[in-house]
Amino acid sequence: MKILMAASEAVPFAKTGGLADAVSALSIALAKLGHEVRIVMPRYYGIDRGKLTLLEGPMGVNLGGGEAWCAVYTGMLPGAPEQNPVPVYFIDHEGFFGREGIYGSPWEPDFLDNPQRFTFFCRAVFQVCRKIAWYPQVLHAHDWPGALAPVFLKFAERSGGFAKTLSVLTIHNLGYQGIYSKDNFYLTNLGWNVFYEGGFEDWNMMNLLKAGIRSADKLNTVSPTYARETQTQAQGFRLDGILRERAADYGGILNGIDTAVWNPQADPFLPAPYGPADMAGKAKAKEALQREFGLPPDSQVPVIGMVTRLTEQKGVGELFGPAYGSAWSICRDMKLQLVLLGTGDAWCENEVRSLASRLSNFKARIGYSEQFSHLIEGGSDFFLMPSRYEPCGLNQLYSLAYGTLPIVRNTGGLSDTVENFNQELGAGTGFMFDDLTPQAIYNTVGWAVWAYYNRRKQIEAMRLTGMKQNFSWEKSAKKYQELYEAGLENLTG
Ligand code: ADP
Ligand code: GLC
């Protein structure tokens, strides 16, 4: 199958979160299954043109208010099979993408011209195909920045090379929808009837993700539980109704782990390799982590790690909220060490810094670091992820693979990938709680720490069970393949 991914992020070129990992890893896994996969994404300022090849000639993109002209660069996705590479096409437009930041900057968290930027991007996807005379059978768009691609396919482009193209939209996070003033709708150059029929209309605003949900031939999100949760009022972010309408075409497919990057037996960021058969390297990673973060090296004390965006989604209010969060009492009352790596909301970054300055057993780095994220996954005993909601979550998967037991809220992809500790049987792969309250986080961390000191054998057994789980992208890619096949069959009847 010829598959084109339309995405705003893909590692190693641009990343703010798990979306970037998922797009590249899925593309590689599909290529390994023999499919012809290509990716289209914007060329952000940070992506070095010097390492890319310029396709000859400018490219015009149909945008309300006039054609927008851009260039297209191409490069290869690292990690794809040699005999079946994955080309990446970068849309280069100085006005839209020639600046620091993917969706925004610290001063302008959501760029004012995002409706222009991503309407332009989604329309450019079709022009790229014409330019290279390559037409996909599957156009696979991701999240709100890619959501207009299925809309354009349905209402403007389904003819010629795209006559039989299937559109798929993957929702990685329903919390971000791309809602803007409807004054921007003219940019699409679509008739006003499409504003309603196409699902753009949202309380007199324009909702890009909603339009994609209405228009894509097939929809999915990144775990079965999140697919169910998003169809309820509680977790549907106001789109539960339209998702229920599309229930027949909507399901969940779990993300996987890119084992070329996340494998404790071959991780350049760890002091020594380790695996289920020989865990000695994990103790070395723990010591290295403690030293790196300025904690007293002590093999006996449990280390709890976190790598996270510091935003409401991740439960940071319940953990770090001033006078409310439980991180302070956790560190004060329990014999443990807490280590955090993350960036995000300013209030939370400040609170984390302030707590770390007052607690001797809490160390934090505010920043983004590939190296430290690996060291935390490898060197910690437990990994804390008290998410308010979690479409899939990758960090708990990395934790499981690294023999680090996740402490998670029972929600979304966390429910589908972690099994709660059973004290009687010694079974399970982590520690779970249902209610998102500071007290529940406190109690569950306490439970894990208790087990660490009192049920060491069970803890060791759980580590091994976790490490033997199979969260491969190959498994997920086969499910996407089935989704594509089912969709194409519907389309051609
Ligand atoms: P989300 O995409 O919602 O942030 P995921 O768990 O799916 O959550 O993916 C997060 C990804 O981003 C992981 O690969 C994680 O290691 C990475 N990550 C998040 N914050 C940082 C950071 N400060 N430094 C390094 N990696 C980070
Ligand atoms: C989003 C979600 C996360 C998921 C990732 C990749 O960022 O928040 O749960 O793992 O996308 O699909």
Side-chain angles (χ1 to χ4, degrees):
M1 259 183 259
K2 287 184 179 165
I3 302 157
L4 182 64
M5 300 283 174
S8 53
E9 302 181 26
V11 282
F13 305 110
K15 166 166 169 173
T16 66
L19 167 68
D21 296 292
V23 168
S24 296
L26 174 61
S27 301
I28 292 170
L30 286 165
K32 285 186 180 154
L33 293 178
H35 300 293
E36 203 179 321
V37 188
R38 303 189 181 192
I39 299 175
V40 188
M41 65 184 288
R43 198 226 35 122
Y44 302 105
Y45 185 63
I47 303 173
D48 183 0
R49 273 186 289 221
K51 296 190 179 131
L52 307 173
T53 313
L54 176 66
L55 296 189
E56 214 176 301
M59 186 173 91
V61 177
N62 177 347
L63 204 62
E67 214 164 27
W69 290 85
C70 60
V72 181
Y73 284 82
T74 177
M76 288 297 170
L77 183 67
E82 235 168 75
Q83 67 291 3
N84 189 20
V86 175
V88 185
Y89 298 92
F90 298 91
I91 313 287
D92 188 57
H93 187 290
E94 199 54 31
F96 290 143
F97 303 117
R99 67 183 85 160
E100 211 77 65
I102 296 183
Y103 310 113
S105 66
W107 310 272
E108 194 183 345
D110 189 17
F111 288 135
L112 287 175
D113 58 350
N114 273 345
Q116 283 91 332
R117 297 169 80 229
F118 291 103
T119 304
F120 163 76
F121 167 66
C122 289
R123 198 73 203 244
V125 168
F126 298 89
Q127 288 303 84
V128 170
C129 296
R130 291 196 181 91
K131 192 172 173 66
I132 59 175
W134 182 89
Y135 296 90
Q137 282 148 297
V138 179
L139 172 58
H140 189 159
H142 298 264
D143 273 353
W144 72 266
L148 288 192
V151 181
F152 285 130
L153 178 63
K154 179 164 177 184
F155 292 100
E157 297 276 14
R158 198 172 261 146
S159 61
F162 300 107
K164 287 182 178 155
T165 300
L166 171 84
S167 67
V168 175
L169 175 65
T170 298
I171 302 168
H172 295 264
N173 194 331
L174 205 58
Y176 302 87
Q177 300 178 4
I179 303 175
Y180 299 101
S181 161
K182 70 175 183 202
D183 294 350
N184 293 296
F185 181 71
Y186 80 97
L187 293 163
T188 62
N189 250 351
L190 299 169
W192 271 103
N193 60 317
V194 177
F195 185 70
Y196 300 97
E197 263 172 59
F200 283 88
E201 200 280 330
D202 184 10
W203 290 88
N204 215 25
M205 300 285 278
M206 169 175 105
N207 184 324
L208 302 183
L209 185 66
K210 182 165 172 277
I213 290 174
R214 168 66 62 77
S215 307
D217 298 313
K218 284 279 179 192
L219 298 169
N220 80 297
T221 184
V222 288
S223 71
T225 297
Y226 194 61
R228 284 191 299 277
E229 288 171 346
T230 47
Q231 295 178 60
T232 66
Q233 202 174 26
Q235 299 263 40
F237 282 97
R238 303 183 307 113
L239 297 188
D240 47 295
I242 187 168
L243 285 170
R244 284 195 300 272
E245 264 173 44
R246 302 265 357 234
D249 294 308
Y250 178 49
I253 301 178
L254 270 182
N255 289 328
I257 300 185
D258 184 351
T259 47
V261 181
W262 292 98
N263 174 6
Q265 321 218 28
D267 188 327
F269 298 119
L270 297 186
Y274 67 90
D278 179 10
M279 294 287 280
K282 187 160 176 69
K284 290 196 182 130
K286 179 167 173 175
E287 198 192 320
L289 173 65
Q290 288 169 322
R291 285 190 195 285
E292 186 62 59
F293 276 76
L295 287 161
D298 178 350
S299 63
Q300 295 311 307
V301 69
V303 175
I304 300 187
M306 295 185 74
V307 179
T308 185
R309 290 185 290 120
L310 300 169
T311 58
E312 276 310 307
Q313 180 196 344
K314 302 297 178 181
V316 295
E318 285 64 22
L319 210 45
F320 300 116
Y324 168 71
S326 53
W328 169 265
S329 36
I330 287 172
C331 290
R332 185 198 51 198
D333 298 349
M334 301 180 202
K335 205 166 166 247
L336 53 73
Q337 295 175 339
L338 181 62
V339 170
L340 177 145
L341 169 69
T343 58
D345 297 349
W347 77 262
C348 193
E349 292 188 352
N350 291 335
E351 198 55 31
V352 164
R353 282 198 190 97
S354 151
L355 276 177
S357 72
R358 287 176 287 143
L359 289 160
S360 61
N361 56 345
F362 176 37
K363 300 287 177 194
R365 293 260 165 109
I366 301 299
Y368 189 92
S369 159
E370 214 60 50
Q371 178 196 348
F372 293 142
S373 72
H374 283 248
L375 192 57
I376 291 177
E377 288 291 4
S380 303
D381 294 293
F382 301 97
F383 191 91
L384 180 58
M385 219 168 149
S387 303
R388 176 172 298 275
Y389 69 95
E390 198 60 77
C392 175
L394 294 171
N395 276 307
Q396 85 281 10
L397 301 181
Y398 304 151
S399 302
L400 290 168
Y402 280 64
T404 302
L405 304 179
I407 303 172
V408 302
R409 190 164 101 83
N410 189 7
T411 186
L414 301 172
S415 308
D416 292 333
T417 54
V418 180
E419 192 198 328
N420 202 6
F421 176 46
N422 180 323
Q423 235 165 272
E424 276 72 50
L425 304 173
T429 56
F431 299 80
M432 306 176 86
F433 58 95
D434 290 322
D435 297 330
L436 181 56
T437 60
Q439 193 62 43
I441 300 175
Y442 180 97
N443 289 341
T444 313
V445 171
W447 185 30
V449 168
W450 171 85
Y452 181 87
Y453 285 116
N454 298 291
R455 294 290 169 89
R456 190 60 72 86
K457 280 223 168 73
Q458 290 183 337
I459 291 282
E460 302 307 331
M462 284 167 86
R463 289 194 205 288
L464 298 184
T465 313
M467 293 174 89
K468 288 176 188 156
Q469 308 279 312
N470 174 10
F471 293 113
S472 75
W473 269 107
E474 190 193 346
K475 219 158 78 176
S476 318
K478 284 188 178 148
K479 296 226 163 107
Y480 277 100
Q481 180 183 310
E482 284 164 20
L483 180 75
Y484 300 157
E485 281 164 357
L488 283 168
E489 208 174 290
N490 285 352
L491 199 69
T492 51

